[in-house]
Amino acid sequence: MSQFWEALFSQTAGAIKPSPIREMLHLIRQPGMISFAGGMPDPAIFPVEQFNEASSILRSSGRDVLQYGTTEGYGPLKEFLATWTAPRMGRVLKAEELLITSGSTQVVDLLNWALVDRGDVILVEEPSFMGSTLNMHNHGARFETLDCDGEGMIVEALPAKIEALRARGETIKYIYTITNFHNPLGCTLSLQRRRALLDVAYRYGVPILEDDPYGYVRFDGDHLPTLFSLDDRGMVLYAASFSKILAPGTRIGWCAGPAELIRKMTVFKQGVDVCTSVVAQALVYEYCRLGHLDAFLPKIIAHYTKKRNAMEEAFRRHLPLDEVRWVTPQGGFFYWLETPNIAATDLFDASIEKKVAFVPGHTFYVGQGGIHNGRFCFTFASSEEIDEGASRLGQAMRERLS
Amino acid sequence: MSQFWEALFSQTAGAIKPSPIREMLHLIRQPGMISFAGGMPDPAIFPVEQFNEASSILRSSGRDVLQYGTTEGYGPLKEFLATWTAPRMGRVLKAEELLITSGSTQVVDLLNWALVDRGDVILVEEPSFMGSTLNMHNHGARFETLDCDGEGMIVEALPAKIEALRARGETIKYIYTITNFHNPLGCTLSLQRRRALLDVAYRYGVPILEDDPYGYVRFDGDHLPTLFSLDDRGMVLYAASFSKILAPGTRIGWCAGPAELIRKMTVFKQGVDVCTSVVAQALVYEYCRLGHLDAFLPKIIAHYTKKRNAMEEAFRRHLPLDEVRWVTPQGGFFYWLETPNIAATDLFDASIEKKVAFVPGHTFYVGQGGIHNGRFCFTFASSEEIDEGASRLGQAMRERLS
């Protein structure tokens, strides 16, 4: 029947392929493999006991929790988030500015439903998170890409890009940026560039999706103000989730933005999943209400600080330092290595042979690029595995150089 | 800023409105209102204790449950469903035929991603579940509608419709049918028509989405074989969920279908929400593993049988029987009343004044129709409310007739 279905598939379905990371899974899951590939938290730091404690809400509020919820999200969780996020949002959010989602990936999906017609342009950093660009691609978006350096998106290049696109008659719908501890780059948008980015948004009337899954997981330095908190014209939609500050298995994300946009996204959410799992939302709420979010977050940060340090030391100890460059991430999950004289796919093959996995850089590009880069996640592997993995990676690099 | 966002909204966003039921919520939620409107289960019958017992899995498998899950679904839940569904699926499902979703509404969304290009035609029963048609509309589908009678879709009319569409050069992507205890009609597709529908699907090469949220909730008579179990050519995608057999707050649905279609839908699921809440899936799995699903389902059925009987009796007692017609539902959640001499919107206004709510029939039509019909849910209100609500409804009808 394969041909029968092939003939029925939509043009979108015909054009997309499973993610390269999924394709690699059989390699990554080999016994003995040290994986820097997936962007996964360390299960050793999951607050299992504390989350289990929150399950009391399944009894105390059982009938509410098991019923259909409102599409906007579980009321108590919304109230909690409205104030808990205030330090980063710059103020307490109003209920109509906040939407709970089935993970922050759904924020991208709902925004695309609200804004994107086939052929519209989205301005994206390159490289960027492939889950987001996959969704944008499915919605028929085309991409204009923005280069990044150690301070994040090179905002200075934006006005010329926007003007050129508009001169060609293109419709630009929004700018997508991962402001803190970028996936895959690890870099953070500087304060000066944040202000400059908002200026561009205002000047050209292009809104911004500020994707911030890693923002709370900062190891060094001070938090920078979010674009949302710097924006006084309602042109930023801010997206975040509990995946990195609690655990991803909850699949609870949220977004904050102008009420008229949130309302429109909510109508689409009705049509895609009615509402986010009330059971999962209630468990997360109760975990937060019991004080575990605030108590446990410093432990998560301390744990990943050690792992980031372990990877930094291991790279310095084991890699051929003349042949590899990186910017040390101040938070988040990832190192982005550049090996100007080694092709990443060659390095990947050599590394897999030595049982160490990473994600080759080209995977994060909607166009061409990243052929001398790789993303290395430091949160999942143990500190011992990080050292051993870096050692094997160093050997693989030296083999490829000789 | 409202104009700013208005100008950016997609054509889809510009064309859709919030569901009429959402618009009615402020009316339905008035104090003292008896609601037959929403299609909600009775929270009094939620297995609160049993579901709470399942929370032990949050401790015993905490690290797995809190991590990212596979897009296909939580392995143990898939294994459970593969065999638990066998009596209705006709056989044990293979892993690659099964996808766990964020409620069964997501099945419709993922199928539309896989199959529908803007302008494609979907054949739908009219009236039908508005959540599904909203999603189809968002994907750019156009509709060809199929009338129903007491035995469900009038299949005999299908070939001429398909031939006429194809003669006009239309691309038909699938047939959408709610086979058991239809929403909103309450009717069930007869066995003869099930066979006839499959014959049409084979003859014209048009696959079927069999949406079966209510199938397990049968009060009278024997279960009819599902289209999926009757199909030997892999042309049926079957969708169901735990919303009516456990509780909707879990938001766990599933679908069974040909592996190549499931694979394609899985790729889209990556882009819309990565995976369904593992926490919610694990709780549902543990509830099932502990035997509660099988033990509790008969209680749910007995509870709703009483309520269906209460509504049947109350309608017979209180409504002007010369002026109203219905087919008694053998399962599910809904009565569909026809009042040939009373406009449903007038009846709705008169009923709301008397503090009883239902959903006017036109709401379930993608075209015109249903102006003398209403959907009445018997599962949510108590038996006493059902009697009192029917009494008020009868008064409202008599007022409208005089």
Side-chain angles (χ1 to χ4, degrees):
Chain A
M1 290 300 293
S2 216
Q3 281 176 323
F4 170 75
W5 287 102
E6 281 291 331
L8 281 176
F9 284 149
S10 67
Q11 287 171 28
T12 309
I16 65 165
K17 306 214 179 322
S19 101
I21 292 182
R22 280 174 67 88
E23 300 282 278
M24 283 174 210
L25 277 182
H26 68 283
L27 293 174
I28 294 169
R29 285 181 177 160
Q30 286 177 56
M33 185 67 67
I34 293 173
S35 179
F36 302 140
M40 292 199 293
D42 183 355
I45 193 69
F46 288 151
V48 171
E49 288 302 318
Q50 292 83 347
F51 194 74
N52 182 62
E53 205 184 308
S55 67
S56 60
I57 200 169
L58 299 180
R59 177 176 279 141
S60 62
S61 300
R63 290 183 180 180
D64 284 344
V65 161
L66 289 172
Q67 189 55 284
Y68 283 108
T70 56
T71 309
E72 291 82 353
Y74 183 62
L77 182 60
K78 285 189 67 176
E79 283 170 38
F80 174 84
L81 281 173
T83 52
W84 188 79
T85 60
R88 287 174 70 73
M89 297 295 94
R91 59 186 170 79
V92 174
L93 296 169
K94 295 178 202 145
E96 64 266 30
E97 295 177 308
L98 194 52
L99 174 65
I100 311 282
T101 54
S102 304
S104 66
T105 293
Q106 192 181 57
V107 176
V108 182
D109 187 45
L110 298 176
L111 181 65
N112 288 335
W113 276 119
L115 297 190
V116 176
D117 292 307
R118 295 205 163 256
D120 286 349
V121 173
I122 302 173
L123 294 157
V124 297
E125 292 152 350
E126 176 135 274
S128 190
F129 172 50
M130 64 190 83
S132 295
T133 52
L134 171 65
N135 189 281
M136 296 167 188
H137 165 83
N138 290 349
H139 279 273
R142 287 178 304 122
F143 298 101
E144 181 73 26
T145 60
L146 306 163
D147 291 337
C148 299
D149 61 20
E151 288 181 49
M153 181 201 297
I154 300 172
V155 177
E156 301 79 64
L158 252 180
K161 294 242 182 200
I162 293 172
E163 286 172 21
L165 284 163
R166 289 194 170 157
R168 295 207 307 267
E170 305 280 5
T171 302
I172 303 167
K173 282 298 170 73
Y174 65 93
I175 301 164
Y176 174 68
T177 176
I178 304 168
T179 39
N180 297 305
F181 325 125
H182 189 276
N183 178 7
L185 293 170
C187 62
T188 291
L189 191 66
S190 68
L191 179 57
Q192 191 186 358
R193 286 200 182 159
R194 286 173 197 234
R195 295 192 196 282
L197 180 56
L198 281 171
D199 281 345
V200 171
Y202 297 158
R203 185 154 23 121
Y204 293 96
V206 181
I208 299 168
L209 172 54
E210 179 178 22
D211 192 7
D212 193 22
Y214 308 103
Y216 285 94
V217 188
R218 176 177 272 279
F219 313 135
D220 314 318
D222 295 324
H223 286 295
L224 295 179
T226 59
L227 292 169
F228 184 93
S229 69
L230 295 170
D231 169 31
D232 55 14
R233 300 195 198 174
M235 284 180 62
V236 174
L237 181 71
Y238 176 90
S241 93
F242 285 96
S243 292
K244 277 78 186 184
I245 60 178
L246 198 179
T250 61
R251 308 306 307 130
I252 305 295
W254 71 87
C255 62
E260 56 266 48
L261 178 61
I262 294 292
R263 197 156 47 234
K264 194 60 85 174
M265 290 168 66
T266 306
V267 175
F268 283 103
K269 185 165 166 62
Q270 277 183 261
V272 300
D273 68 0
V274 184
C275 68
T276 296
S277 173
V278 194
V279 164
Q281 290 184 81
L283 287 167
V284 167
Y285 164 69
E286 187 65 5
Y287 174 90
C288 295
R289 193 189 66 80
L290 291 169
H292 296 318
L293 183 68
D294 287 320
F296 212 80
L297 188 51
K299 292 181 195 171
I300 292 175
I301 295 168
H303 188 74
Y304 292 149
T305 302
K306 272 190 214 150
K307 292 204 175 195
R308 190 276 316 262
N309 293 347
M311 190 167 267
E312 181 77 22
E313 283 166 34
F315 280 176
R316 290 193 190 190
R317 186 178 312 131
H318 297 299
L319 303 191
L321 295 180
D322 290 346
E323 296 290 344
V324 57
R325 290 197 290 257
W326 68 83
V327 175
T328 306
Q330 295 190 298
F333 276 38
F334 306 114
Y335 272 80
W336 179 254
L337 297 193
E338 187 176 352
T339 51
N341 301 314
I342 312 172
T345 48
D346 288 351
L347 183 60
F348 179 79
D349 293 342
S351 297
I352 288 290
E353 257 180 47
K354 298 189 189 306
K355 303 244 177 202
V356 56
F358 67 94
V359 184
H362 72 273
T363 307
F364 302 95
Y365 281 68
V366 294
Q368 302 300 312
I371 58 170
H372 293 286
N373 300 93
R375 189 193 75 174
F376 296 76
C377 173
F378 53 83
T379 54
F380 184 70
S382 69
S383 293
E384 297 71 36
E385 287 176 319
I386 288 173
D387 190 73
E388 174 62 25
S391 166
R392 295 181 196 172
L393 182 70
Q395 292 168 37
M397 285 182 178
R398 289 188 180 88
E399 280 174 21
R400 287 292 120 186
L401 286 162
S402 63
Chain B
M1 291 303 291
S2 216
Q3 282 176 323
F4 170 74
W5 288 103
E6 281 291 331
L8 280 176
F9 285 149
S10 66
Q11 288 171 28
T12 309
I16 66 165
K17 305 213 180 322
S19 101
I21 291 183
R22 280 174 68 87
E23 300 282 280
M24 282 175 210
L25 276 182
H26 68 285
L27 294 174
I28 295 169
R29 286 181 178 163
Q30 287 177 56
M33 186 67 66
I34 294 173
S35 180
F36 303 141
M40 292 198 294
D42 183 355
I45 193 69
F46 288 152
V48 172
E49 287 303 316
Q50 292 82 348
F51 194 73
N52 182 61
E53 204 185 310
S55 67
S56 60
I57 200 169
L58 299 180
R59 177 176 279 140
S60 62
S61 301
R63 291 184 179 178
D64 284 344
V65 160
L66 289 171
Q67 188 57 283
Y68 284 106
T70 55
T71 308
E72 290 83 351
Y74 182 62
L77 182 60
K78 286 189 65 176
E79 283 171 37
F80 173 84
L81 281 174
T83 51
W84 188 79
T85 60
R88 286 173 72 71
M89 297 295 95
R91 59 186 171 80
V92 174
L93 296 169
K94 295 178 202 148
E96 64 266 29
E97 293 177 308
L98 194 51
L99 175 64
I100 310 283
T101 55
S102 304
S104 67
T105 293
Q106 192 180 58
V107 176
V108 182
D109 188 44
L110 298 176
L111 181 65
N112 289 335
W113 276 120
L115 297 191
V116 175
D117 292 307
R118 297 206 160 255
D120 286 350
V121 172
I122 302 174
L123 295 157
V124 297
E125 291 152 352
E126 176 136 275
S128 190
F129 172 49
M130 63 191 81
S132 295
T133 52
L134 170 66
N135 189 281
M136 295 168 189
H137 166 83
N138 291 348
H139 279 272
R142 288 178 305 121
F143 299 102
E144 181 74 25
T145 60
L146 306 163
D147 292 336
C148 299
D149 61 19
E151 289 182 49
M153 180 200 296
I154 301 172
V155 177
E156 301 77 61
L158 251 180
K161 295 240 181 201
I162 292 172
E163 284 172 22
L165 285 163
R166 290 196 169 155
R168 296 207 306 269
E170 306 280 6
T171 302
I172 302 168
K173 281 300 168 74
Y174 65 94
I175 300 164
Y176 174 67
T177 178
I178 304 168
T179 38
N180 297 306
F181 325 125
H182 189 277
N183 179 5
L185 293 172
C187 61
T188 291
L189 191 67
S190 67
L191 178 57
Q192 191 187 358
R193 287 201 182 158
R194 287 173 196 234
R195 295 192 197 283
L197 181 55
L198 280 171
D199 280 346
V200 171
Y202 296 158
R203 183 152 27 116
Y204 293 96
V206 181
I208 300 168
L209 172 55
E210 178 179 22
D211 192 7
D212 193 22
Y214 309 103
Y216 285 94
V217 188
R218 176 178 273 277
F219 313 135
D220 313 317
D222 294 326
H223 286 294
L224 295 179
T226 59
L227 291 170
F228 184 94
S229 70
L230 294 170
D231 170 31
D232 55 13
R233 300 196 199 174
M235 284 180 62
V236 175
L237 181 70
Y238 175 90
S241 95
F242 285 97
S243 291
K244 277 78 186 181
I245 59 177
L246 198 180
T250 61
R251 309 306 307 129
I252 305 296
W254 73 86
C255 62
E260 55 267 48
L261 177 62
I262 294 292
R263 196 157 49 233
K264 195 59 88 172
M265 290 168 67
T266 306
V267 175
F268 284 102
K269 186 165 165 62
Q270 278 182 262
V272 300
D273 69 359
V274 184
C275 67
T276 296
S277 174
V278 193
V279 165
Q281 290 184 81
L283 287 167
V284 168
Y285 163 68
E286 187 66 5
Y287 175 90
C288 295
R289 194 190 66 81
L290 290 169
H292 296 318
L293 183 68
D294 287 320
F296 213 80
L297 188 51
K299 294 180 195 172
I300 292 175
I301 294 169
H303 187 74
Y304 292 148
T305 303
K306 273 190 212 150
K307 292 204 176 198
R308 190 276 316 262
N309 293 346
M311 189 166 267
E312 181 78 22
E313 283 166 33
F315 280 174
R316 291 193 189 190
R317 185 178 312 131
H318 298 298
L319 303 191
L321 294 180
D322 290 345
E323 295 290 344
V324 56
R325 291 198 289 257
W326 67 82
V327 175
T328 307
Q330 295 191 299
F333 275 38
F334 307 113
Y335 273 80
W336 178 253
L337 297 193
E338 187 175 353
T339 53
N341 300 313
I342 312 173
T345 49
D346 289 350
L347 182 61
F348 178 78
D349 293 342
S351 298
I352 288 290
E353 259 180 46
K354 298 189 189 305
K355 303 244 176 203
V356 56
F358 68 93
V359 185
H362 71 274
T363 308
F364 303 94
Y365 281 68
V366 294
Q368 302 300 312
I371 57 170
H372 293 286
N373 299 92
R375 188 193 75 174
F376 296 76
C377 172
F378 53 83
T379 54
F380 183 70
S382 69
S383 292
E384 296 71 36
E385 288 176 319
I386 288 172
D387 190 72
E388 174 60 25
S391 167
R392 296 181 196 173
L393 182 70
Q395 291 167 38
M397 284 181 179
R398 290 187 180 88
E399 281 173 22
R400 288 291 121 188
L401 287 162
S402 61

